[in-house]
Amino acid sequence: MNTTKIIGIALIVIGLLGAALGGFSFTQDTHKASLGPINLSVAEEKRVNIPLWASLVAIVAGAAVLIGGARR
């Protein structure tokens, strides 16, 4: 399997995951205050939304890479 096929398949998989999940979330720890030996911190959950058009562009680009790589 050559590099162009791997890149094409990866783009298609990323596009499909982005379309199915719509985004991902992560937890960010922030250091708020330090009072002597006591440290106060807050864990915030943040969400990153992936637009549907970006997922569709990744799928189309992956298909184009696969088709273009097969023609060589």
Side-chain angles (χ1 to χ4, degrees):
M1 199 182 259
N2 59 12
T3 308
T4 57
K5 285 184 182 180
I6 293 172
I7 291 172
I9 291 170
L11 281 172
I12 291 172
V13 168
I14 290 170
L16 289 173
L17 284 174
L21 299 176
F24 60 93
S25 61
F26 62 95
T27 303
Q28 182 180 12
D29 291 328
T30 57
H31 181 73
K32 291 291 183 184
S34 179
L35 303 170
I38 300 172
N39 291 325
L40 301 174
S41 62
V42 177
E44 290 183 65
E45 186 171 331
K46 295 190 176 187
R47 178 153 177 83
V48 176
N49 294 322
I50 300 173
L52 183 59
W53 62 265
S55 299
L56 294 175
V57 166
I59 293 170
V60 170
V65 168
L66 279 177
I67 293 170
R71 290 188 181 176
R72 281 188 181 185

